[in-house]
Amino acid sequence: MARTKGYPEALDKKLRDQRYYREDSNPEFLPKVKAISRTIAHMCFQCGTCTGSCPSAPRSTYRIRQFMRRAVLGLENEALTDPDLWLCTTCYSCTDRCPRDIAPTDVIMAMRNLAFKRDIIPVNFLKTVQAIYSSGHGVPNNDVNRAAREKLGMSRDPATTHSFPEYVKGIQKILDYYKLKANSDRIVKEREG
Amino acid sequence: MEAKKEAPVKQEVKKQAAPAPKQAPAAATVGGKKEQPRIGVFICHCGTNIAGSIDIKEVEAYAKTIPNVAHADNYQYICSTPGQKKITDAIKEHKLTGTVVAACSPRLHEPTFRTATKEGGLNQFRFEMANIREQNSWVHMHDPEGATAKAKDAIRIAVAKASLLQDLTPKTVPVERAALVVGAGVAGMQAALDLAAAGIKTYLVEKSPSIGGRMSQLDKTFPTLDCSQCILTPKMVDVGRSPNIELMTYSDVEAVEGYIGNFDVTIRKKAHGVLTMPEAEAKGISGGGCNGCGDCEPVCPVIKPNEFEMGMKPRKAIYIYHPQVVPLLYTIDWDSCIKCGLCVTACGDKKAIDLEQKDEFVKIKVGTAILAIGFDLFPVENKKEWGYKRFENVITSLEFERLICASGPTSGHLIRPSDGETPKRVAFVLCAGSRDNTGIGKPYCSRFCCMYSLKHAHQIYEKIPGVQSYLFYMDIRSFGKMYEEFYYRIQDEGAKFIRGRVANILEDPATKNLHVYTDDTLLNRPVDMEVDLVVLASAVEPSWDTTRTRKLFGVSCSMDGWLLEAHPKLNPCGTTTAGVFLAGVCQGPKDIPDAVASAEGAASAASIPIHKGEVELEPYFAQCIEEKCAGCGMCVNLCPFTALALVEKDGRQVMEVTEAKCKGCGTCGGFCPGGAIWMNHFATPQIVAQIDAFLLGGEQ
Amino acid sequence: MEATHKYAFFLGCIAPNRYPGIESSAIKTSRKLGIELVDLKGASCCPAPGAFGSIDLNVWYAMAARNVVLAEQMKTDIALICNGCYKSIWEVNHKLKKNKDLRDAVNEVLKEIDMEFKGTVNVYHLAELLFDPKICGVEKIRASVTNPLKGTRIAVHYGCHLLKPRKERTWVAPGIGETENPMWMEEMVAALGAEPVQYRNKMQCCGAGGGVRGYDIVHSLDITNEKMINLMEVKADALTEVCPFCQLQFDRGQIEIQEKFGVTYGLPVLHYNELLGLAQGMSPQELGLDLHGISCEPFLQKVL
């Protein structure tokens, strides 16, 4: 919650109120995160096993334990606008070791889903959506590979949607059901023009 | 199941009690006088506990319409003095023949209201309780209408039974003036010493060859830093010397029969393969028997790990754990002994070794028993992330205790198992396997590991100059007397506390050092701490023989596996089995002060029936209606408590109940095809009346 | 040959579209071991659990379910060769079988394309099928080897999505499941005649997942680099894995590490199916090893 002391901008930023107040919490955030992640996020007792297991923590400011704390305290804005949210590799080591049987990885995925609803999403994800929409593949075939396949005595395209493009329609219907393509295109356009 | 309830029983009931609600049924009694029942119903508000969900006024008004109800009343708290007075006064004023209180669970106040009934001039068993709280108002808080209707049903059912209750007299049985304590750790020994000091002959049974338990494995005890053996051995000596204590080491409880005041216990005295001096004398070997000289040990060719030293020191197939064991008597591990006989030769004239010795069974009779069967460490290798048993330099807390103990395998020098070097950087991993909801570890807190880890940090600070300890914790639970001060001291000595649960441990293949990975949650940075040695403060669990032993005594365990006390707050030393008590860690993890206190509590409770000399049994016995008994004897083998027998009376065979053994379980009563068994206080007519009242009565 | 076990072969994206040698070696080596992999027509991206699940898990469930339903229509269990695909296909299959609410929500969407998830097939990773003695087993692998990879030191990268989280996995083959120090893939490497080598922190992630490779490539490469340092410490001749995405991260990643961090390793990275192909006598050409970013020559010189 931006609290202003009425000072000139630079001082207001430097001296901003750092305290946590109850008003900083959105009580809806935790239930939303729990519903999407299907895990008992509220039971986190901040033991630190998750961050202790994390491959991203030693090389960045990403702290899964802190994201869990934000979920429990309802600090929605802080969580969803933190760029570190996208540094989780989903290795699931934290989930594997959590003594409270929580899945912190799934909490991150839930937060990412909620961030996307606010159009917060790195553009590489959207490019994947577009690729899937057009070809059915996140990493589509290319001519270099087609030639290589042919040399190996295989069909130029695999027996996937590449060889059976009629199936792509079904995929497009699924993506359109959730308006994923429309939203992705819109955001890509906004970012890249 | 239906076959057991055959026609004869039902017809009998129909003669005795009319089902139609408008008629006033005559009370059925066996050998009692016929009387018109006049039941008093007392409905308790229990503050808002009951009144908050149930409409008391409506229920009282309904009660007045139930057949046989001569009086109905309500009160805030019937268990209070004025409340009880209402019962006693009403009995006299309205000439009641029975009382019903609709209130909480009989587990709480059945005795209270029975006493009130007695004081009103009635036999105390003319009282019936309807639970409209735990089984009604507390679980139907959101359905007051349904709760009120259910309360009416409950009272109607209770009145139906109360109308048929008889005078009963509790049976008094004598109590054997002896007690049994199973387990000779500090709790078992303390309980035995207290019982013995109170003049009670006490059998102290211990499964291992020597007494002392876990406390004798410790080096120092927190927070006083007393040498553990130094404060324990006086108790061990007292146990050995006490004329009232019969110590049976290397023995197991084999069978338990009987009931409070009269337990018949069979003890299996396992074969040591070695004769004690009295045993040798008895066999005619004058001056013979084991004197602990140890001549047998060097010649034995079989080497095994010494369990007392957590497997870190060898012992032979013929062994004692260490020279200070009580009793000082060698034992042969039959699983490892190859019967080469070299020990027999070495023993010489003492002739103390008998390779053919067999287990002996001893039967004892005791009035009460105390279980003090202790704990084991949870197998922490199952938490693979910490590498126990994969990495040499990861050890458990008990292994640490033996290493740091002057009488241990390294004479008190803490060394790294991989190379024997003295570690300079030691990590203590707290909550290793405790507070764990993954299904692999234990969900509970093991209570004393925070404190002993602080103690361990102190011990190495004292012994290894320049050593650095790191305690990786989630919380420091220093809850007891002088415990927080101890935490202060350890931090003052320079131990470093990192608030983070250890995620995993990896080994450096070259140096065998360990890398401890966690999150310093206070610093908000992930940690990779390289150390020379890791000590895991493992969770604890009930000792391996607990399930078998507790079942012999009919003691349950709670959800967490520890033995179940009668009430966690108000009766932590008792169990729901009369005459059986709990002491020490077997009831739940506790430190030495609490273990000793619980032992004293158990001993006190166990001595009461013995000092009173007699105990009252509730008169819920089966009785044989001899006129109806065909003497078929089919019920005799059904009884789980062997309380029944066929006897000859007036020239025919009839069944007879040994009332002291009968628990009133109803197996025989439910079975008897001739309806010849009457279950006191739960007789068939009474139960059928309850069922009929529920199904046929009411405001349907 | 004994009874053949037939599976619908779910290809994913990276194997068929970037490392086709993995696809062809999987088919050929499996055939030699009594496993027949048939086309799963019309399969799509699994969809990539990290990249896609991050955006909208509902779409992830629906798309993965669609792939499973294709196999249900064939009445054939699925076999796949990628940890990432395993997470999407196996886990969604497992979750939809267990949770009616998820299943109903997914079938609402699949109704639009005339499909219905019924939960009638099972999903397996080819590696677990190869390890399971009921299907193949280590001894059978050993017996099928005609060109043992003798004298090579091969390290194993287990990856993440196959085994973790342990509590959300059920295995039919005995001996699979441990996530802290598994050794079953080393057994499979030893069956090829090679020497499996241990290295520090072998269970660490490759760094590519969760969309991180696309979002912050140097962050993902730093994670990969940590593993590379540990691999070089034990002088491995090759690294093997069962996930084409990990393969991409280690293979193309070493080139990117060279560009961005200035370190060169040149460690050949091969999918287990490629190694198995070599050991069963397939040529490097047949395996398309020339498509690898890091040349497999130093390794091939030792085994051919």
Side-chain angles (χ1 to χ4, degrees):
Chain A
M1 289 290 276
R3 280 187 188 86
T4 169
K5 294 183 176 176
Y7 301 162
E9 192 184 324
L11 284 179
D12 219 28
K13 188 165 180 226
K14 172 183 156 58
L15 300 171
R16 71 187 180 285
D17 191 345
Q18 299 275 6
R19 281 202 182 97
Y20 165 75
Y21 294 90
R22 191 185 321 111
E23 294 73 42
D24 297 331
S25 293
N26 175 6
E28 296 305 308
F29 186 48
L30 181 60
K32 274 192 294 195
V33 166
K34 284 174 67 180
I36 299 173
S37 63
R38 302 173 76 92
T39 190
I40 44 172
H42 64 289
M43 291 310 294
C44 172
F45 58 179
Q46 295 285 297
C47 68
T49 303
C50 48
T51 295
S53 307
C54 180
S56 285
R59 44 193 43 95
S60 69
T61 50
Y62 171 64
R63 301 284 176 270
I64 173 62
R65 180 183 53 81
Q66 199 163 56
F67 275 95
M68 292 303 297
R69 190 69 185 144
R70 288 166 173 164
V72 170
L73 289 181
L75 297 172
E76 182 168 21
N77 283 330
E78 252 186 65
L80 301 188
T81 58
D82 188 341
D84 287 347
L85 179 60
W86 307 94
L87 285 179
C88 169
T89 67
T90 70
C91 77
Y92 278 93
S93 297
C94 53
T95 303
D96 204 40
R97 296 189 184 136
C98 174
R100 279 271 165 109
D101 226 30
I102 305 169
T105 318
D106 290 344
V107 168
I108 291 292
M109 298 300 270
M111 288 182 179
R112 288 179 179 182
N113 278 206
L114 290 170
F116 176 64
K117 290 199 169 69
R118 294 186 182 190
D119 286 359
I120 301 173
I121 182 98
V123 76
N124 60 297
F125 290 91
L126 304 173
K127 297 285 169 76
T128 308
V129 172
Q130 290 174 328
I132 292 180
Y133 195 84
S134 58
S135 69
H137 282 276
V139 180
N141 208 354
N142 58 37
D143 287 334
V144 170
N145 195 60
R146 286 189 183 94
R149 287 181 68 94
E150 202 170 16
K151 223 169 78 173
L152 290 177
M154 301 161 79
S155 57
R156 281 173 65 84
D157 278 309
T160 61
T161 48
H162 278 322
S163 293
F164 300 94
E166 60 272 26
Y167 285 87
V168 177
K169 279 200 192 53
I171 290 162
Q172 290 176 343
K173 272 207 171 153
I174 294 176
L175 292 179
D176 285 335
Y177 185 95
Y178 289 104
K179 301 193 177 42
L180 204 54
K181 176 67 160 56
N183 281 326
S184 302
D185 285 347
R186 174 181 57 80
I187 299 170
V188 169
K189 193 151 181 283
E190 280 166 19
R191 302 245 185 109
E192 297 181 351
Chain B
M1 276 296 163
E2 261 72 38
K4 288 182 189 152
K5 301 255 192 313
E6 283 179 8
V9 176
K10 270 199 186 145
Q11 285 168 10
E12 208 53 51
V13 169
K14 285 208 160 73
K15 276 194 211 133
Q16 289 163 352
K22 292 290 187 236
Q23 293 176 33
T29 58
V30 169
K33 48 183 173 37
K34 274 205 165 86
E35 52 185 2
Q36 185 66 24
R38 294 176 59 78
I39 307 300
V41 175
F42 305 88
I43 305 163
C44 188
H45 296 231
C46 195
T48 54
N49 279 312
I50 297 176
S53 319
I54 292 177
D55 186 337
I56 306 284
K57 269 201 171 53
E58 200 183 311
V59 172
E60 187 186 331
Y62 172 75
K64 291 189 169 132
T65 69
I66 300 176
N68 294 338
V69 170
H71 172 74
D73 198 357
N74 71 85
Y75 190 61
Q76 288 283 329
Y77 298 101
I78 301 197
C79 55
S80 65
T81 309
Q84 292 178 54
K85 193 162 183 303
K86 276 182 177 282
I87 298 177
T88 53
D89 288 352
I91 292 173
K92 295 178 189 140
E93 197 184 315
H94 297 277
K95 297 193 186 3
L96 302 177
T97 62
T99 53
V100 166
V101 173
C104 52
S105 162
R107 293 188 70 178
L108 296 163
H109 280 301
E110 185 171 62
T112 314
F113 301 131
R114 278 194 178 153
T115 308
T117 304
K118 195 158 102 176
E119 280 169 10
L122 288 179
N123 180 285
Q124 59 172 315
F125 292 96
R126 293 281 189 145
F127 161 72
E128 177 73 4
M129 197 145 175
N131 182 344
I132 59 170
R133 191 183 72 172
E134 281 84 340
Q135 293 182 355
N136 192 337
S137 67
W138 271 356
V139 296
H140 299 307
M141 288 197 259
H142 303 293
D143 181 10
E145 265 180 49
T148 305
K150 186 170 166 179
K152 293 178 187 173
D153 287 345
I155 292 172
R156 184 174 72 253
I157 294 168
V159 168
K161 180 165 175 187
S163 304
L164 299 177
L165 287 173
Q166 308 160 257
D167 290 355
L168 292 172
T169 317
K171 185 178 179 67
T172 305
V173 290
V175 173
E176 186 71 30
R177 202 180 165 72
L180 167 66
V181 177
V182 185
V186 67
M189 291 196 295
Q190 184 63 52
L193 286 170
D194 282 10
L195 287 166
I200 297 170
K201 161 130 184 124
T202 307
Y203 298 93
L204 180 55
V205 173
E206 164 58 46
K207 72 178 191 287
S208 84
S210 77
I211 61 176
R214 294 281 171 218
M215 198 175 158
S216 65
Q217 289 181 293
L218 308 179
D219 176 34
K220 292 199 155 97
T221 57
F222 57 79
T224 51
L225 299 173
D226 284 308
C227 150
S228 186
Q229 276 288 60
C230 304
I231 58 177
L232 188 65
T233 37
K235 288 206 197 282
M236 289 166 69
V237 165
D238 283 349
V239 161
R241 274 212 214 115
S242 169
N244 272 338
I245 295 181
E246 186 172 323
L247 179 60
M248 292 193 262
T249 52
Y250 207 48
S251 301
D252 290 330
V253 176
E254 183 75 13
V256 177
E257 280 170 5
Y259 51 94
I260 178 178
N262 298 276
F263 288 111
D264 290 302
V265 183
T266 309
I267 309 287
R268 174 196 291 264
K269 294 183 79 164
K270 296 183 284 200
H272 282 265
V274 175
L275 302 170
T276 61
M277 289 191 271
E279 282 169 352
E281 281 296 331
K283 278 192 158 187
I285 309 165
S286 139
C290 179
N291 61 5
C293 72
D295 285 349
C296 52
E297 208 191 312
V299 304
C300 175
V302 179
I303 300 177
K304 287 283 158 176
N306 183 333
E307 298 87 347
F308 182 85
E309 302 288 1
M310 305 306 290
M312 293 188 292
K313 202 173 177 181
R315 62 156 172 82
K316 298 297 184 69
I318 185 165
Y319 70 98
I320 48 172
Y321 284 142
H322 57 86
Q324 292 78 36
V325 291
V326 172
L328 182 54
L329 175 68
Y330 272 73
T331 303
I332 295 180
D333 166 14
W334 299 113
D335 290 333
S336 314
C337 172
I338 56 172
K339 300 256 177 105
C340 65
L342 288 171
C343 52
V344 177
T345 315
C347 187
D349 290 334
K350 296 185 286 297
K351 293 200 169 63
I353 296 174
D354 176 4
L355 292 178
E356 302 309 313
Q357 194 183 46
K358 298 278 175 274
D359 293 352
E360 195 192 316
F361 293 92
V362 170
K363 281 195 182 342
I364 61 172
K365 222 174 156 62
V366 296
T368 51
I370 297 177
L371 301 183
I373 51 184
F375 69 94
D376 285 335
L377 285 190
F378 157 77
V380 75
E381 61 270 21
N382 291 341
K383 294 293 290 182
K384 303 229 183 317
E385 54 260 55
W386 299 318
Y388 179 62
K389 291 202 173 161
R390 279 195 294 133
F391 307 141
E392 289 170 83
N393 293 326
V394 174
I395 63 175
T396 62
S397 44
L398 264 181
E399 287 169 344
F400 176 92
E401 288 282 351
R402 294 316 303 151
L403 287 174
I404 203 82
C405 185
S407 59
T410 58
S411 306
H413 297 288
L414 181 65
I415 58 155
R416 275 156 51 97
S418 68
D419 54 13
E421 294 294 314
T422 306
K424 283 297 217 230
R425 305 158 304 177
V426 181
F428 296 96
V429 177
L430 272 59
C431 297
S434 303
R435 306 176 67 184
D436 182 318
N437 290 75
T438 61
I440 299 174
K442 304 291 177 184
Y444 48 79
C445 163
S446 294
R447 194 165 168 113
F448 40 67
C449 346
C450 278
M451 288 310 297
Y452 72 53
S453 298
L454 291 175
K455 176 192 73 172
H456 288 171
H458 170 81
Q459 287 168 298
I460 63 175
Y461 165 81
E462 204 180 41
K463 289 199 166 176
I464 306 172
V467 75
Q468 179 63 61
S469 5
Y470 299 94
L471 284 86
F472 295 89
Y473 72 100
M474 292 200 273
D475 298 285
I476 296 292
R477 296 185 165 179
S478 48
F479 55 91
K481 186 160 176 172
M482 298 305 290
Y483 286 10
E484 184 66 19
E485 294 89 329
F486 191 67
Y487 176 22
Y488 185 98
R489 171 184 179 167
I490 305 310
Q491 190 168 0
D492 198 25
E493 286 172 359
K496 293 277 181 260
F497 291 81
I498 297 180
R499 198 208 163 266
R501 179 177 176 277
V502 172
N504 68 323
I505 295 175
L506 293 179
E507 185 187 54
D508 182 319
T511 60
K512 304 290 182 186
N513 289 352
L514 290 326
H515 287 260
V516 176
Y517 295 95
T518 183
D519 179 18
D520 186 330
T521 61
L522 302 176
L523 195 57
N524 198 22
R525 285 168 63 176
V527 166
D528 170 0
M529 183 66 75
E530 186 177 354
V531 295
D532 308 322
L533 181 72
V534 170
V535 182
L536 300 176
S538 311
V540 294
E541 59 182 25
S543 63
W544 62 272
D545 208 25
T546 297
T547 302
R548 186 194 69 90
T549 310
R550 72 166 177 83
K551 284 186 174 179
L552 292 173
F553 288 91
V555 173
S556 318
C557 65
S558 30
M559 211 167 79
D560 57 13
W562 300 101
L563 297 188
L564 186 64
E565 62 285 300
H567 189 279
K569 293 264 189 239
L570 301 178
N571 199 348
C573 297
T575 64
T576 48
T577 305
V580 179
F581 304 89
L582 304 175
V585 175
C586 64
Q587 178 261 348
K590 47 178 76 67
D591 52 6
I592 293 167
D594 287 348
V596 171
S598 80
E600 304 222 85
S604 165
S607 69
I608 293 173
I610 293 174
H611 280 310
K612 277 181 77 169
E614 59 182 26
V615 74
E616 233 178 48
L617 302 177
E618 285 181 313
Y620 303 146
F621 328 115
Q623 282 189 40
C624 177
I625 308 171
E626 289 178 7
E627 313 86 81
K628 297 211 179 104
C629 178
C632 69
M634 289 199 278
C635 56
V636 173
N637 288 332
L638 285 177
C639 177
F641 306 100
T642 55
L644 310 180
L646 279 183
V647 297
E648 204 162 298
K649 277 192 187 169
D650 303 327
R652 50 188 278 264
Q653 292 235 302
V654 290
M655 182 273 275
E656 188 179 70
V657 180
T658 306
E659 289 178 348
K661 283 191 176 180
C662 173
K663 302 240 189 239
C665 71
T667 306
C668 59
F671 165 76
C672 176
I677 300 181
W678 181 268
M679 302 302 305
N680 274 351
H681 206 63
F682 293 96
T684 303
Q686 292 165 357
I687 299 193
V688 173
Q690 287 180 295
I691 299 172
D692 283 350
F694 175 58
L695 293 175
L696 301 177
E699 299 170 332
Q700 281 94 342
Chain C
M1 204 171 40
E2 308 142 34
T4 303
H5 303 272
K6 193 169 97 171
Y7 301 92
F9 191 9
F10 182 85
L11 292 172
C13 299
I14 310 248
N17 299 335
R18 296 287 180 272
Y19 294 99
I22 300 178
E23 179 187 335
S24 91
S25 63
I27 295 171
K28 291 193 180 136
T29 57
S30 297
R31 193 171 293 139
K32 279 217 178 108
L33 295 166
I35 297 172
E36 198 194 325
L37 300 174
V38 299
D39 284 346
L40 180 61
K41 289 204 201 62
S44 67
C45 182
C46 46
F52 221 84
S54 295
I55 307 175
D56 192 340
L57 285 163
N58 298 310
V59 188
W60 179 67
Y61 282 121
M63 285 199 57
R66 189 201 75 96
N67 283 319
V68 175
V69 172
L70 290 173
E72 285 185 3
Q73 290 168 347
M74 285 173 68
K75 292 194 179 27
T76 313
D77 287 342
I78 292 176
L80 41 80
I81 42 163
C82 169
N83 289 356
C85 298
Y86 187 80
K87 177 169 169 71
S88 291
I89 306 289
W90 183 91
E91 211 176 274
V92 170
N93 191 35
H94 179 72
K95 281 200 162 110
L96 292 190
K97 280 183 185 180
K98 274 203 320 186
N99 295 290
K100 186 169 188 301
D101 61 316
L102 275 178
R103 195 167 59 239
D104 288 345
V106 164
N107 278 335
E108 270 297 305
V109 186
L110 292 182
K111 217 168 41 188
E112 306 272 314
I113 52 175
D114 297 322
M115 285 175 121
E116 189 194 342
F117 176 89
K118 296 202 173 107
T120 52
V121 297
N122 297 318
V123 178
Y124 303 97
H125 193 297
L126 187 58
E128 74 175 289
L129 293 174
L130 291 174
F131 186 74
D132 187 353
K134 298 189 289 294
I135 309 289
C136 173
V138 169
E139 286 317 310
K140 214 165 164 188
I141 295 175
R142 200 188 309 272
S144 77
V145 169
T146 54
N147 176 31
L149 308 178
K150 256 200 320 246
T152 58
R153 293 163 61 82
I154 302 186
V156 175
H157 170 78
Y158 279 83
C160 295
H161 289 124
L162 179 63
L163 298 173
K164 289 181 281 188
R166 193 181 34 210
K167 60 194 175 210
E168 290 281 351
R169 294 285 180 271
T170 59
W171 302 98
V172 178
I176 298 183
E178 223 228 86
T179 53
E180 298 292 343
N181 189 34
M183 296 292 269
W184 58 277
M185 278 197 206
E186 279 88 337
E187 278 185 61
M188 286 168 62
V189 165
L192 303 180
E195 183 196 336
V197 293
Q198 299 299 300
Y199 58 102
R200 281 184 216 256
N201 207 359
K202 75 178 186 187
M203 296 312 288
Q204 187 182 283
C205 176
C206 72
V212 176
R213 182 177 159 80
Y215 170 66
D216 187 342
I217 184 141
V218 292
H219 180 97
S220 75
L221 290 173
D222 190 46
I223 296 174
T224 316
N225 197 32
E226 188 179 322
K227 291 210 78 162
M228 292 307 304
I229 293 169
N230 293 337
L231 287 163
M232 300 319 275
E233 187 186 15
V234 298
K235 302 187 174 35
D237 295 315
L239 174 68
T240 187
E241 31 53 37
V242 291
C243 173
F245 202 36
C246 293
Q247 174 149 327
L248 186 74
Q249 182 69 9
F250 279 109
D251 184 45
R252 203 173 286 187
Q254 281 181 67
I255 299 174
E256 290 156 348
I257 285 173
Q258 191 180 347
E259 287 166 11
K260 295 178 197 291
F261 302 161
V263 198
T264 308
Y265 297 110
L267 179 70
V269 182
L270 295 104
H271 191 282
Y272 183 77
N273 285 116
E274 291 175 321
L275 278 185
L276 183 54
L278 275 177
Q280 285 184 356
M282 286 173 77
S283 71
Q285 287 69 37
E286 285 178 273
L287 295 165
L289 294 184
D290 51 315
L291 289 170
H292 283 216
I294 299 296
S295 167
C296 297
E297 267 316 296
F299 177 72
L300 292 172
Q301 273 165 23
K302 289 196 172 182
V303 301
L304 295 176

